[in-house]
Amino acid sequence: MLIRYKKAFEKIAMGLLSFMPNEKDIKKLQQTIKQYENEENWQLFLWKIEDDVIGLIGVQLKDQLVEIQHISVNPSHRNQGVGKNMLKSIKQIYEGKTILPNEYTAAFCENCNDEEL
Ligand SMILES: CC(C)(COP(=O)(O)OP(=O)(O)OC[C@H]1O[C@@H](n2cnc3c(N)ncnc32)[C@H](O)[C@@H]1OP(=O)(O)O)[C@@H](O)C(=O)NCCC(=O)NCCS
């Protein structure tokens, strides 16, 4: 289930974000999480199964566009469809808008078929 980020999940969210190749630097990571906390057009979501947060997806809203900025799944839960399910949920949340990847999420997003994105 996709839930909205809350400050209580900051540590787990930073851990998941750090799997992104462009979020290896701790300063950059802190900046990114602040951006999601403070800027209305940056929205962060977490994938929760029972009490475990195992995935993260973050978007930037630009009028009719929704750009996927970050997507990450805990290594122990990969290749089980969590990434694709997070994309599907984002599509439902932002129904009617155009969902696009950015340069850092394109490889995975473009691997998903039209049903997911
Ligand atoms: C990318 C990521 C979120 C996928 O999550 P997941 O839950 O394992 O994805 P799913 O189970 O829904 O889908 C698995 C498919 O994605 C593919 N995939 C995984 N990582 C990929 C990548 N970086 N680029 C392209 N395809 C990728 C798998 O090969 C698999 O393909 P298949 O269905 O043809 O066998 C996860 O691998 C991850 O967290 N990676 C580190 C963070 C990262 O690099 N994010 C940006 C990715 S561009």
Side-chain angles (χ1 to χ4, degrees):
M1 181 181 67
L2 206 61
I3 59 162
R4 276 187 186 272
Y5 169 81
K6 289 186 281 193
K7 186 88 178 162
F9 294 121
E10 187 176 27
K11 287 226 161 62
I12 181 100
M14 283 177 75
L16 287 164
L17 270 174
S18 73
F19 293 120
M20 289 289 306
N22 58 325
E23 298 287 349
K24 296 296 175 202
D25 176 67
I26 182 75
K27 286 226 167 73
K28 169 74 166 56
L29 206 54
Q30 284 164 340
Q31 254 174 19
T32 299
I33 204 88
K34 280 215 165 60
Q35 198 161 30
Y36 281 118
E37 285 172 356
N38 300 331
E39 294 181 30
E40 235 173 79
N41 60 328
W42 284 71
Q43 297 285 323
L44 189 60
F45 299 86
L46 301 168
W47 190 260
K48 213 173 167 197
I49 290 182
E50 294 171 6
D51 283 337
D52 289 336
V53 172
I54 60 163
L56 163 152
I57 186 164
V59 301
Q60 185 183 11
L61 308 177
K62 301 176 173 176
D63 296 322
Q64 285 311 300
L65 298 183
V66 178
E67 197 173 88
I68 312 287
Q69 299 292 328
H70 299 97
I71 183 159
S72 176
V73 172
N74 178 313
S76 315
H77 296 271
R78 289 187 189 163
N79 295 308
Q80 295 167 27
V82 174
K84 287 178 186 171
N85 280 328
M86 291 197 296
L87 280 179
K88 255 188 222 170
S89 297
I90 285 292
K91 200 180 166 194
Q92 285 163 2
I93 291 169
Y94 296 107
E95 210 185 333
K97 300 203 179 210
T98 304
I99 317 281
L100 291 172
N102 74 357
E103 62 179 298
Y104 303 108
T105 59
F108 175 71
C109 292
E110 284 164 7
N111 199 38
C112 296
N113 63 33
D114 288 345
E115 253 173 65
E116 281 90 25
L117 198 63

